[in-house]
Amino acid sequence: MSPKTHHSLIFRLVLASLTLSFVLPSFAEQAIHSQKYDIHYNAFNTMIVTPEVAQTYGFTRARNRALLNVAVIDKATKRPLAAMVTGTRTNIIGQVLPLEFQQIKEQNAIYYIAQLRFTEEEMWRFELKIQPDLNAKAIPLKFSQTFYLEQ
């Protein structure tokens, strides 16, 4: 197995485990469902990503950094879809910052990842627009999350 394939596998396992963790009874599922698409999303501290995976994909690992992950699945075929993903984040004092998404395309997955910085117990409101079909209206996604520094 090549190092890049190994890192890719680790990255997928981390993202899959994070997605699965939200399906457990103590957590709400972080997904929205439309007639055609299932859109899964989560945000997590970069410290849970291994240094090798962070280096492979160009992420900065730090206690005050997080990744926002979005994946679009075709409901009929259960296959990942490419999409236009844009958005902003707003803090409690109303400061609005744009999110810059990086597409990570693998054999059986497509992820859209945005990196962000935060301070201890900082809450951000996210407003995303996800457009799997460029000829159709974008699907809005709004959620809030509080971030904590990892030890």
Side-chain angles (χ1 to χ4, degrees):
M1 182 180 302
S2 74
K4 185 159 181 144
T5 302
H6 178 70
H7 297 313
S8 173
L9 178 61
I10 291 170
F11 187 70
R12 278 187 274 160
L13 290 172
V14 166
L15 291 177
S17 68
L18 287 169
T19 302
L20 289 175
S21 72
F22 293 110
V23 178
L24 296 176
S26 61
F27 295 97
E29 179 183 17
Q30 287 197 285
I32 58 173
H33 307 282
S34 73
Q35 197 170 23
K36 294 181 178 182
Y37 312 107
D38 290 326
I39 299 171
H40 298 268
Y41 62 96
N42 57 15
F44 52 92
N45 192 293
T46 58
M47 293 305 288
I48 68 168
V49 178
T50 67
E52 296 81 14
V53 171
Q55 183 176 10
T56 298
Y57 292 104
F59 301 142
T60 300
R61 288 181 77 243
R63 294 176 57 227
N64 68 338
R65 298 280 181 106
L67 297 177
L68 172 57
N69 173 44
V70 177
V72 181
I73 307 297
D74 182 290
K75 221 171 203 173
T77 66
K78 304 297 185 207
R79 292 183 183 209
L81 294 175
M84 174 75 69
V85 180
T86 59
T88 60
R89 62 184 173 128
T90 306
N91 64 14
I92 60 171
I93 61 170
Q95 183 180 29
V96 179
L97 298 172
L99 294 165
E100 294 181 24
F101 286 90
Q102 168 188 351
Q103 183 189 68
I104 296 177
K105 193 171 186 176
E106 298 178 345
Q107 185 176 358
N108 296 315
I110 302 172
Y111 305 106
Y112 293 90
I113 306 289
Q115 298 182 70
L116 56 119
R117 292 179 190 216
F118 63 90
T119 58
E120 179 65 16
E121 291 189 51
E122 187 170 21
M123 194 275 295
W124 287 95
R125 289 187 316 270
F126 296 93
E127 291 191 32
L128 309 180
K129 291 184 180 178
I130 299 124
Q131 195 171 7
D133 179 352
L134 298 181
N135 296 316
K137 193 173 177 181
I139 300 165
L141 169 60
K142 294 181 182 183
F143 71 100
S144 298
Q145 184 165 326
T146 301
F147 292 89
Y148 301 91
L149 298 175
E150 289 291 319
Q151 299 304 322

